[in-house]
Amino acid sequence: MEPQQWSMRKSKLLWLICMVLIITGGASVAVAHYMDSIVSDVTLNDNGYVVQIQTTEKTVKELLDKYEITLGPGDEINPGPEEEIVDGSEIKIHRAFKVTIAADGNIKSVYLTQGTIKDALEKAYIVLGEKDFVNYGLDQQAAPGDHIKVTRVKEEVLVETEKIPYRIVTKENNKLKKGTEKVVQEGKEGEKERKILIAYHDGVEVGREVVEERISKEPEDRVIDKGTYVAPPVSRGSTTRSKNSSQGSTSSKTSSKQTESSKTSSSQTANKSTKTFTATAYTHTGNRTRTGKWPKPGMIAVDPNVIPLGTKVYVEFSGKWSYLTGYYIAEDTGGAIKGYIIDVFMDDKNTVREFGRRKVKVSY
């Protein structure tokens, strides 16, 4: 081939190669521009776990589906699943945690991403009554696994009535013949009214407290005149006078005994009922009594079905414990205090241990 022809062909080949390179370079630039237009840089924050993603998906849902990211009950995502993705988008997922609530015999589950115990109750549509309470503070932050217990409190007032026996009053009447009696006034029983506040937790009685006690009807004494008149004897000398004097002395002694008997009978009528109880002892527990007071000496725990709360009783101890004998107020109850058992409060643990369990007499 002639040198001139070869030079021309070489020039054409170089020109062709240049054209190919120009075309190829242009296509690459076009492809690069196209890719830039469809690929978005996205920041995904899944409950604190942050990753950077380059994606061609157009919506948040498509991105979640591609990477198999699922949302659980109560989970929150921003922007929403149907929102479009743009370059520089930041997707935040707040994962919810489960809280259970027991109320009114039912158990509900709610899911929160954040909030207080009060927020959890509101989400479960649970409304607290004035005296209802829960096992957490309402302003406390809820946490995963919390089990909230709602206790419903109901109070009612029970009115009890108690008969008050009348007294028998005997009066001497020197206008009535000795040995005769006359009813001057018939006795009438009185009536005492006691108001007891009963508290229920979820329908179960947990305590009783006497909130008011009054005499609604005063008793009326039964009044009896007892004759003391003795006709004077006919005087027939010293012997007769001696006999009369002896009779007068005997009459005086008889009258004195009868009066004393009347007083004893009246005293017995006023006495309280006395029963034998089993006594135990307890000391400070860090809790208030059932009536809401801090325990102190002079208080006892009782079965309110036997001795109502607030009752003042007289407890008689024997032996070395007789120094404890005196009046006590029924202020507390206890799971083991059933029937004729009382639990005596003492300040000292060693004394409680030594006291143990023993019999006492209780008047109430």
Side-chain angles (χ1 to χ4, degrees), residues 157-165 189-196 208 210 212-217 308:
V157 176
L158 172 67
V159 179
E160 290 183 345
T161 57
E162 177 185 340
K163 296 293 184 182
I164 304 175
E189 290 183 328
E191 193 172 84
K192 181 186 292 184
E193 186 179 273
R194 184 181 296 113
K195 291 183 179 180
I196 302 173
R208 294 188 174 207
V210 177
E212 183 182 345
E213 189 173 79
R214 68 184 185 90
I215 296 176
S216 56
K217 182 181 178 183

Side-chain angles (χ1 to χ4, degrees), residues 12-24:
K12 288 182 180 180
L13 180 61
L14 290 173
W15 180 84
L16 181 61
I17 291 171
C18 288
M19 292 299 295
V20 170
L21 289 174
I22 291 170
I23 293 171
T24 303

Side-chain angles (χ1 to χ4, degrees), residues 57-355:
E57 275 63 44
K58 297 301 182 184
T59 66
V60 173
K61 184 178 184 306
E62 290 175 358
L63 178 66
L64 297 179
D65 291 342
K66 178 179 180 179
Y67 292 99
E68 298 181 350
I69 299 173
T70 58
L71 298 178
D75 289 348
E76 297 176 357
I77 185 170
N78 185 38
E82 304 305 324
E83 295 290 330
E84 291 187 0
I85 292 175
V86 297
D87 190 44
S89 291
E90 183 179 3
I91 302 172
K92 291 184 178 181
I93 300 175
H94 297 280
R95 297 293 182 179
F97 56 87
K98 180 180 178 182
V99 173
T100 57
I101 304 172
D104 306 312
N106 300 315
I107 296 180
K108 295 182 178 180
S109 296
V110 295
Y111 293 87
L112 301 171
T113 56
Q114 61 179 358
T116 63
I117 298 298
K118 182 179 180 181
D119 294 330
L121 294 175
E122 290 177 351
K123 195 161 188 177
Y125 301 102
I126 294 175
V127 179
L128 295 180
E130 181 181 355
K131 295 184 179 294
D132 297 342
F133 61 91
V134 298
N135 56 337
Y136 293 97
L138 292 178
D139 294 329
Q140 180 177 331
Q141 287 294 317
D146 279 349
H147 181 73
I148 303 171
K149 175 68 174 69
V150 177
T151 300
R152 299 294 189 186
V153 178
K154 178 185 176 184
E155 293 181 340
E156 66 178 12
V157 176
L158 172 67
V159 179
E160 290 183 345
T161 57
E162 177 185 340
K163 296 293 184 182
I164 304 175
Y166 57 78
R167 297 186 306 160
I168 299 177
V169 179
T170 302
K171 296 181 178 180
E172 293 183 350
N173 189 336
N174 60 8
K175 293 182 181 181
L176 285 179
K177 187 177 179 180
K178 184 178 180 179
T180 62
E181 293 182 349
K182 179 182 178 182
V183 177
V184 179
Q185 176 179 290
E186 290 291 350
K188 293 183 180 179
E189 290 183 328
E191 193 172 84
K192 181 186 292 184
E193 186 179 273
R194 184 181 296 113
K195 291 183 179 180
I196 302 173
L197 180 66
I198 306 176
Y200 298 90
H201 287 183
D202 290 332
V204 179
E205 182 180 332
V206 295
R208 294 188 174 207
E209 178 184 359
V210 177
V211 294
E212 183 182 345
E213 189 173 79
R214 68 184 185 90
I215 296 176
S216 56
K217 182 181 178 183
E218 293 284 353
E220 295 182 10
D221 295 339
R222 177 180 171 86
V223 182
I224 301 175
D225 276 2
K226 189 171 185 178
T228 60
Y229 174 75
V230 178
V234 178
S235 176
R236 294 186 180 182
S238 62
T239 303
T240 304
R241 283 197 300 272
S242 175
K243 288 181 179 179
N244 287 341
S245 175
S246 175
Q247 288 174 350
S249 175
T250 302
S251 174
S252 176
K253 290 180 180 179
T254 302
S255 176
S256 176
K257 288 181 180 179
Q258 289 173 341
T259 302
E260 184 178 348
S261 174
S262 174
K263 290 180 180 179
T264 302
S265 174
S266 177
S267 174
Q268 290 173 345
T269 302
N271 281 344
K272 296 181 177 180
S273 173
T274 301
K275 290 185 174 61
T276 299
F277 279 63
T278 297
T280 56
Y282 73 106
T283 188
H284 296 280
T285 61
N287 298 320
R288 293 179 183 268
T289 64
R290 182 61 66 185
T291 56
K293 301 176 182 177
W294 289 110
K296 63 180 181 179
M299 294 183 177
I300 58 174
V302 300
D303 181 347
N305 293 317
V306 177
I307 300 177
L309 289 172
T311 303
K312 185 176 183 180
V313 303
Y314 186 80
V315 184
E316 184 178 347
F317 298 80
S318 60
K320 64 176 288 187
W321 303 99
S322 58
Y323 73 92
L324 295 173
T325 297
Y327 287 96
Y328 292 79
I329 303 295
E331 298 281 7
D332 209 352
T333 61
I337 311 302
K338 300 296 182 185
Y340 292 96
I341 298 176
I342 62 172
D343 206 11
V344 183
F345 177 83
M346 297 180 180
D347 264 330
D348 181 52
K349 288 184 179 180
N350 293 329
T351 306
V352 169
R353 295 192 189 97
E354 186 181 355
F355 184 83

